[in-house]
Amino acid sequence: MHITPIQLRFNDIDQMGHVNNAVIMEFFDLGKSEYFTAIGLPPEEGEFTVMVVRVEVDFHKQMHYHDHIHVTTLVDHFGTKSLAMRQQVVDSETGEPFATCRTVMSGYSRTTQKAAVIPDTIKERILRYEQDSGQAANN
């Protein structure tokens, strides 16, 4: 599991006085980007990448400006051309989740601009990273 600390900014707050739901999606995107960079697959580099094809989010409780938060990110399932990620925006002090996200990502070839099989080398990097951090992705 990868942990990305998040610093809340004043402009993240909406007229209701809590962090806007659209901003929370940006936190999940940042967590995904940091995760793939950590495993050696920076989103902006290389022939192979992944792209979001489905996102499902559950919002559990309101987040406010002075909350201390981080995003947890892990891959919990592989398909042939896809992988599933599970993420949470978490209260760093209590461990309680503010929001949970499940994302399906497709392997993608920048050359052909089509879906691509996830290379075994990428799966191995992810599995090693998850095992080293105490989690394990399912094949």
Side-chain angles (χ1 to χ4, degrees):
M1 175 184 334
H2 187 270
I3 297 174
T4 305
I6 302 290
Q7 180 177 343
L8 291 173
R9 303 161 299 175
F10 179 76
N11 60 328
D12 294 335
I13 309 305
D14 65 17
Q15 64 186 4
M16 299 297 289
H18 62 256
V19 177
N20 186 280
N21 291 350
V23 172
I24 293 171
M25 297 303 296
E26 293 176 16
F27 299 160
F28 287 131
D29 286 345
L30 180 60
K32 284 189 274 295
S33 177
E34 292 287 326
Y35 180 94
F36 286 112
T37 298
I39 68 156
L41 187 66
E44 71 280 5
E45 295 178 13
E47 149 57 16
F48 177 84
T49 191
V50 291
M51 67 172 37
V52 173
V53 294
R54 178 175 169 73
V55 177
E56 182 179 322
V57 179
D58 293 311
F59 297 97
H60 306 295
K61 66 179 193 170
Q62 293 183 45
M63 185 184 322
H64 298 93
Y65 181 64
H66 294 288
D67 289 327
H68 296 93
I69 65 169
H70 62 269
V71 175
T72 61
T73 305
L74 63 90
V75 172
D76 67 356
H77 182 76
F78 289 109
T80 303
K81 292 184 179 181
S82 67
L83 57 83
M85 300 190 90
R86 190 171 25 142
Q87 295 180 280
Q88 286 190 314
V89 176
V90 178
D91 185 316
S92 297
E93 295 173 354
T94 67
E96 293 181 65
F98 289 103
T100 302
C101 180
R102 178 124 171 118
T103 305
V104 177
M105 302 187 83
S106 174
Y108 184 79
S109 165
R110 286 193 168 103
T111 302
T112 65
Q113 297 187 2
K114 293 182 180 180
V117 171
I118 299 174
D120 288 339
T121 56
I122 301 297
K123 288 181 180 180
E124 290 166 9
R125 281 189 214 175
I126 291 169
L127 288 169
R128 190 173 352 146
Y129 188 84
E130 296 297 344
Q131 289 169 348
D132 290 348
S133 65
Q135 299 293 322
N138 299 322
N139 280 328

